[in-house]
Amino acid sequence: QVRLVESGGGLVQPGGSLRLSCTASRVSFRLGLYTMHWYRQAPGKEREFVGSISTIPSGNNEMYSDSVRGRFRISRNNELNTVFLQMNSLEPEDTAVYYCNNGEQLWGQGIQVTVAS
């Protein structure tokens, strides 16, 4: 059964950057066919939408929540079968487990991002 796999999390200081990656456990499962989404869940809070990138090759193909717009950027490399979440100017409030999703029922296991000094 195919899974989504996130990587790249960790501990970073406020103001720092991290890049998360999301790929499929099976190469034949092409993420390029899906609008891909990133969500996050902080301790004691519900899972919230972070952003998404559509299958449109370029142009206005990204959406972001108000809390991350201008700091986070989603991109995709279909040859690598990978979706990225570049997170800049990180704040302690960004601390959460981050998940990728293919817009359907497929989710990653989540990866921890901790922003602390």
Side-chain angles (χ1 to χ4, degrees), residues 45-105:
K45 296 187 177 181
E46 294 188 354
R47 190 171 298 187
E48 67 170 351
F49 173 78
V50 173
S52 63
I53 185 166
S54 75
T55 58
I56 299 172
S58 62
N60 189 24
N61 61 348
E62 301 162 34
M63 292 181 59
Y64 299 95
S65 67
D66 290 343
S67 60
V68 308
R69 187 177 295 111
R71 300 187 297 120
F72 290 12
R73 181 75 186 274
I74 299 174
S75 60
R76 65 194 313 159
N77 185 319
N78 290 335
E79 290 186 2
L80 295 178
N81 203 30
T82 303
V83 177
F84 302 99
L85 175 64
Q86 178 67 44
M87 305 184 293
N88 300 322
S89 302
L90 283 161
E91 304 167 352
E93 292 74 21
D94 296 315
T95 295
V97 177
Y98 285 72
Y99 301 86
C100 60
N101 165 255
N102 72 331
E104 299 180 1
Q105 69 271 28

Side-chain angles (χ1 to χ4, degrees), residues 1-6 22-27 29 31 36 81 100 102 105-110:
Q1 185 175 356
V2 67
R3 296 177 294 110
L4 297 180
V5 181
E6 300 97 342
C22 172
T23 190
S25 60
R26 198 169 66 214
V27 173
F29 189 87
L31 299 186
M36 294 298 297
N81 203 30
C100 60
N102 72 331
Q105 69 271 28
L106 201 58
W107 291 83
Q109 80 286 355

Side-chain angles (χ1 to χ4, degrees), residues 6-12 18-21 87 96 98 111-114:
E6 300 97 342
S7 62
L11 173 64
V12 63
L18 277 177
R19 188 177 78 159
L20 304 184
S21 300
M87 305 184 293
Y98 285 72
I111 192 156
Q112 179 70 45
V113 171
T114 301

